[in-house]
Amino acid sequence: MASVVQIVGYKNSGKTTLITRLVKIFNDMNLRVAVIKHDLHGFEADREGTDSFRFRAAGAAGAAIASPWRTAVFEEQETPLVQLIEHFAQYDLILVEGFKRERYPKMVLLRSTEDEPLIQELQQVIAVIQKEANFAANPSGIRRFQRDEIKQMAAYIRHNLM
């Protein structure tokens, strides 16, 4: 079963940037990584003119397209995180962007000291990633990283969560 780590934070806190940087490091370690992103604002992953777009526009509740190199599945429904994790269970690591209320180990990105209350609102916070060096004291003992400590974060995940 794959290890799961959530990367959470407020909008525009740098979650996607951090995940892409971590994925590159884990790929260099020959680990298979899957990423699951939660988007509360809606998204369109397919584009007009493609066959799968046309199938969905015609009313298909689901559509899939597969090639020897890539598979895409489109469904007109939300899929629970646990099902997505099960789908990627054969991978070494699953990085989840968002889904703040789920109960997996979380690394929380903070943009400023004003974001600190987020740490107390969430469950299973294992690490905090901060932009500023002068954040509040750390009485809870939660592991803290500066934004540029990507290799240290990857090592922490590898040695403590996998």
Side-chain angles (χ1 to χ4, degrees):
M1 183 71 172
S3 299
V4 178
V5 178
Q6 289 182 259
I7 307 296
V8 301
Y10 292 121
K11 185 176 180 177
N12 296 322
S13 60
K15 298 179 296 290
T16 300
T17 300
L18 173 61
I19 289 171
T20 56
R21 293 177 74 189
L22 286 170
V23 166
K24 288 178 184 176
I25 291 171
F26 290 127
N27 279 337
D28 289 345
M29 295 178 186
N30 294 317
L31 297 173
R32 288 188 67 214
V33 180
V35 178
I36 301 169
K37 178 182 173 76
H38 193 227
D39 186 346
L40 291 173
H41 310 289
F43 65 93
E44 191 61 55
D46 206 0
R47 59 183 199 283
E48 194 170 345
T50 62
D51 292 344
S52 52
F53 184 93
R54 290 175 56 211
F55 300 148
R56 291 175 46 242
I65 184 165
S67 75
W69 307 276
R70 182 174 296 131
T71 299
V73 176
F74 303 95
E75 294 182 299
E76 300 301 322
Q77 68 180 9
E78 182 174 10
T79 303
L81 179 59
V82 67
Q83 281 184 300
L84 295 169
I85 289 170
E86 287 171 7
H87 177 80
F88 292 115
Q90 75 278 14
Y91 288 71
D92 298 310
L93 176 64
I94 301 169
L95 296 175
V96 177
E97 181 176 330
F99 292 93
K100 283 185 207 146
R101 303 296 171 218
E102 294 288 339
R103 295 175 182 246
Y104 295 95
K106 291 173 187 60
M107 298 179 78
V108 181
L109 277 99
L110 303 178
R111 300 170 295 193
S112 66
T113 54
E114 288 79 34
D115 290 351
E116 286 264 346
L118 182 60
I119 299 168
Q120 304 308 316
E121 295 171 21
L122 302 174
Q123 296 182 3
Q124 291 201 24
V125 175
I126 58 164
V128 172
I129 302 154
Q130 57 197 48
K131 193 173 189 178
E132 302 171 9
N134 58 349
F135 270 66
N138 189 17
S140 62
I142 294 173
R143 178 69 165 94
R144 292 202 178 225
F145 296 96
Q146 295 297 312
R147 290 276 174 120
D148 60 349
E149 295 181 310
I150 305 299
K151 289 182 181 177
Q152 293 91 328
M153 288 179 229
Y156 177 79
I157 291 169
R158 178 86 191 259
H159 294 104
N160 295 292
L161 301 168
M162 295 181 74

